[in-house]
Amino acid sequence: MNISTTALIPFALGHGSVETIHASVNGVDDNMLRITYRVKGDIAKLTIPAKCSPRRAERLWEHTCFEVFIRSDDDPSYYEFNFSPSGEWAAYSFRGYRDGMSLHDENWSPEIFVRREADRIELDAVLRLDRLSAIRTGSRLRIGLSAVIEANDGTLSYWALKHPVAKPDFHHPDSFALELASPSQDA
């Protein structure tokens, strides 16, 4: 499986120094997905969290972070993953739309790689699908890709594949706008 890069769209005008955000999803093998985010713009005008030791952290969405939501096509339960350029991360599982949030596997630690230049920042995150009990082998996947970007003045902009309602809501079922076969279906 190899999905071409797709553009995220800002929720509203006034997204500051960000020109574009592109994201891609690539199958690494039958059980892994690599999600890549590329932010292009005047990175010096953005608040990018400083690198630290990889660890679980809460409320990453209050600052610059990248998010992926994933579920099987025929199941309302889903996972939310947050990745900060700092190396911090969070993982949650839900029974349905914003219902039953719980921490996902305290021992799970994603691989996060960050590259930064004057006009761009890129973040790669690798997810192990075999650690997600609600994702059935061979099922079609529904994925929501999104980003929260903090400007140096503290304002936040919200980016996603799709904004289906009148306020930013990355959990909305229609935000899971990318549909693809699980890596094992491509064999």
Side-chain angles (χ1 to χ4, degrees), residues 61-169:
W61 58 83
E62 293 178 347
H63 303 284
T64 297
C65 84
F66 302 92
E67 302 184 2
V68 62
F69 295 79
I70 186 169
R71 68 178 175 87
S72 290
D73 190 38
D74 57 352
D75 190 338
S77 62
Y78 63 96
Y79 297 93
E80 172 187 356
F81 300 94
N82 305 151
F83 306 108
S84 171
S86 69
E88 294 174 310
W89 55 272
Y92 307 97
S93 59
F94 294 83
R95 290 188 302 255
Y97 175 66
R98 294 189 179 272
D99 178 44
M101 181 175 109
S102 61
L103 292 176
H104 176 68
D105 192 351
E106 291 278 344
N107 298 315
W108 180 78
S109 182
E111 296 177 50
I112 302 172
F113 308 95
V114 178
R115 294 167 300 286
R116 184 175 174 169
E117 298 177 24
D119 67 339
R120 73 186 49 144
I121 186 165
E122 296 182 9
L123 182 140
D124 290 322
V126 178
L127 294 178
R128 293 191 51 93
L129 295 176
D130 59 347
R131 300 286 303 270
L132 308 178
S133 60
I135 304 298
R136 288 178 301 290
T137 302
S139 66
R140 292 195 62 76
L141 302 177
R142 297 293 305 240
I143 297 176
L145 300 169
S146 53
V148 177
I149 305 296
E150 183 178 15
N152 287 341
D153 67 3
T155 59
L156 299 174
S157 62
Y158 301 93
W159 299 70
L161 292 173
K162 185 176 181 181
H163 297 283
V165 292
K167 64 180 185 170
D169 185 357

